[in-house]
Amino acid sequence: MMVDVDSRTLEISSMPRGGPDASWLDRRLQTSRLEYLDRDDVDDLKRKVMDSLDRAGRRRRIGIHDKCAQMVLHEVADVEAPKILELGAGLGGLSHRLLEKHPTAELTVTDIDPSFVAGMTASDLGSHPRATVREMDATEIDAADGYYDLAVFALSLHHLPPELAARVFAAGTRAAKKLLIVDLPRPPAPVHVMLLATVLPLVKLSPLQHDGFISSLRAYSPSALRALARHADPAITVEFRTRRGLGPTVAVASRAQ
């Protein structure tokens, strides 16, 4: 039995970000290099990236927080007072928008980084009557089975290697009735090459572009997400809400009843 478990773990840990069926080129369009957000030795650069992401999320033209909030609200539209868990919340921009848009939703807002948790606690999220801010690992959710109506992990899964990403699927679909994953798209390999070539000159000029370039190389394809869910538990099903084009990858995972 141990041999089976070890072989499955080895198989998923070596899976390309483009999935088991990734092409030769797609398999080379990935990296193990860390983003500033993943490092503990560049606090200033990490903060600059997070602040830039938060500003982009709040801008009307880009509206990442608004778009993610609409996706979340769509998934809980039939629940009067949904319990929502945000994983990897960063500065809490998405949860802010959800509390504004839904008058009865209860939010548990979490991140694994203590400094981000401290920042959210000191903000109006920390005193909001329908929000609870907690430090939490998305791979080890501290909640009873099915406690949340929805768990959401937005623009964060690509930070994790496959074996940990699979644990997010396991934990998220255990603690919540549904797990919503929103992340960067992984374009077809030839298009991906062109996009990377466009961004490359900006990598040394902007911390955000530096992390964006690496994020693109670490993004999971739909087939990879299916493989991660299957590795976590064959009972987990994945449905995609992704629209055509180069928009984000949007997936909803749940366990078969």
Side-chain angles (χ1 to χ4, degrees), residues 16 19-30 186 189 193:
D21 57 349
S23 67
W24 175 89
L25 179 58
D26 198 5
R27 289 168 184 263
R28 280 148 184 81
L29 294 176
Q30 62 182 56
R186 189 171 188 88
V193 170

Side-chain angles (χ1 to χ4, degrees), residues 13-235:
S13 66
S14 60
M15 182 191 71
R17 296 291 175 125
D21 57 349
S23 67
W24 175 89
L25 179 58
D26 198 5
R27 289 168 184 263
R28 280 148 184 81
L29 294 176
Q30 62 182 56
T31 182
S32 59
R33 185 172 181 177
L34 296 179
E35 300 168 48
Y36 291 139
L37 284 178
D38 300 316
R39 293 168 55 180
D40 297 324
D41 60 335
V42 287
D43 288 346
D44 183 53
L45 290 171
K46 179 188 287 191
R47 189 70 192 191
K48 286 181 179 179
V49 173
M50 185 54 71
D51 287 343
S52 295
L53 289 171
D54 191 57
R55 285 195 299 271
R58 294 175 186 274
R59 286 176 189 159
R60 182 173 300 177
R61 202 173 87 178
I62 302 175
I64 297 172
H65 296 331
D66 272 337
K67 291 176 182 177
C68 287
Q70 290 298 333
M71 296 173 196
V72 171
L73 295 176
H74 174 77
E75 298 301 328
V76 295
D78 58 346
V79 183
E80 183 176 351
K83 290 183 171 64
I84 301 171
L85 169 66
E86 185 183 2
L87 302 162
L91 301 184
L94 171 56
S95 284
H96 272 110
R97 297 300 293 136
L98 288 171
L99 290 167
E100 291 171 4
K101 288 175 173 292
H102 199 301
T104 58
E106 298 178 14
L107 273 290
T108 300
V109 194
T110 72
D111 200 280
I112 196 173
D113 190 313
S115 66
F116 294 156
V117 174
M120 290 189 291
T121 301
S123 74
D124 55 354
L125 275 177
S127 58
H128 197 287
R130 291 186 285 115
T132 301
V133 179
R134 294 184 57 190
E135 183 177 333
M136 189 181 291
D137 187 337
T139 69
E140 298 178 5
I141 298 173
D142 181 17
D145 292 1
Y147 178 79
Y148 294 101
D149 295 294
L150 181 72
V152 55
F153 200 39
L155 304 177
S156 297
L157 191 72
H158 65 274
H159 290 283
L160 302 179
E163 58 270 31
L164 291 182
R167 287 169 60 181
V168 172
F169 277 93
T173 57
R174 178 197 62 77
K177 297 178 179 67
K178 293 190 290 186
L179 169 66
L180 173 64
I181 299 287
V182 183
D183 213 346
L184 300 176
R186 189 171 188 88
V191 176
H192 202 174
V193 170
M194 291 187 290
L195 291 173
L196 291 169
T198 302
V199 175
L200 184 59
L202 304 174
V203 167
K204 292 185 178 181
L205 301 177
S206 164
L208 180 62
Q209 294 296 343
H210 170 277
D211 272 21
F213 186 88
I214 295 175
S215 293
S216 182
L217 291 170
R218 298 171 75 185
Y220 289 106
S221 71
S223 68
L225 295 181
R226 288 193 183 95
L228 293 170
R230 187 167 55 249
H231 176 81
D233 189 330

